[in-house]
Amino acid sequence: EDTRVVNLSLDRSAMLGRIHVARVVIESLKVPPEGGAQNTPAKKRSAGKPPKPASAQKRTFFVEYHFPVKATKNGIGQVAVTTEIIRVASSKISDEVLKFQQRYVFPIHFSGTMITHWWNSDLAFSIYLKKGAQRKPLLIGSAAFPLRDVIQSEHLSVSLELPVEEEGGSAPL
């Protein structure tokens, strides 16, 4: 895991050692208008109610991430990382912006091993979409940013807009 040398001052390392909580806030996700080029022709039905138009289907988006809270190294140098898995859901769309406004607080301990893990790791987000009565949400995109940016930032805080990479052949983001 030690792929890049950690370049932090002793003061910064000492400050990280005094940190006991980390917060992650997911504000919103830009989404395309419903329908558009993704519409597929409806199957023909011979009896019963006519199908709802595609635009009337409820869309629920999920964002999932694994937040590292602890990293330990055993006697032979293998690193074990403990993560908390978070999945937030929302279907509150207004002006092509999906509102999550979710805040999570995690206990954290920045040992030398944890600092090295954060220095060399990304916080990855997976974005899923569930339409209407669909049982299982489909992975439609992902985003990530280097955790190193947080421990290098002046106030140990980063607020940014992440670009989302679409999964091949699925709904656009």
Side-chain angles (χ1 to χ4, degrees):
E1 173 159 320
D2 299 348
T3 57
R4 283 173 258 159
V5 177
V6 176
N7 186 15
L8 292 176
S9 70
L10 288 176
D11 288 344
R12 177 54 56 127
S13 295
M15 181 192 322
L16 288 171
R18 293 188 298 270
I19 302 293
H20 298 289
V21 295
R23 275 187 293 274
V24 175
V25 179
I26 298 178
E27 289 286 334
S28 60
L29 176 68
K30 291 182 184 173
V31 295
E34 196 168 11
Q38 262 329 89
N39 273 351
T40 55
K43 292 180 182 175
K44 301 262 183 193
R45 292 186 180 194
S46 58
K49 293 182 182 178
K52 286 184 179 179
S55 63
Q57 279 189 348
K58 179 179 177 185
R59 296 187 300 169
T60 303
F61 290 84
F62 300 87
V63 175
E64 180 180 287
Y65 60 98
H66 298 234
F67 190 84
V69 292
K70 184 177 179 185
T72 55
K73 194 181 281 191
N74 68 14
I76 57 173
Q78 293 175 321
V79 175
V81 178
T82 303
T83 63
E84 287 198 31
I85 302 169
I86 301 298
R87 182 180 260 192
V88 297
S90 180
S91 40
K92 299 177 224 161
I93 301 172
S94 175
D95 297 327
E96 297 180 17
V97 175
L98 179 71
K99 298 285 185 188
F100 284 101
Q101 298 170 328
Q102 297 286 325
R103 175 186 299 245
Y104 290 89
V105 178
F106 302 97
I108 194 164
H109 173 69
F110 279 108
S111 63
T113 303
M114 184 64 145
I115 292 170
T116 301
H117 176 74
W118 273 51
W119 190 265
N120 294 307
S121 300
D122 291 341
L123 183 57
F125 298 89
S126 298
I127 296 102
Y128 297 86
L129 171 61
K130 183 176 162 237
K131 291 183 180 180
Q134 184 180 354
R135 286 180 179 240
K136 187 176 179 184
L138 296 175
L139 179 65
I140 59 169
S142 60
F145 79 94
L147 288 168
R148 169 179 55 259
D149 290 357
V150 177
I151 60 177
Q152 286 182 311
S153 67
E154 185 177 350
H155 299 290
L156 297 175
S157 176
V158 175
S159 179
L160 42 87
E161 199 171 293
L162 296 175
V164 175
E165 293 182 27
E166 291 180 43
E167 289 299 311
S170 65
L173 288 182

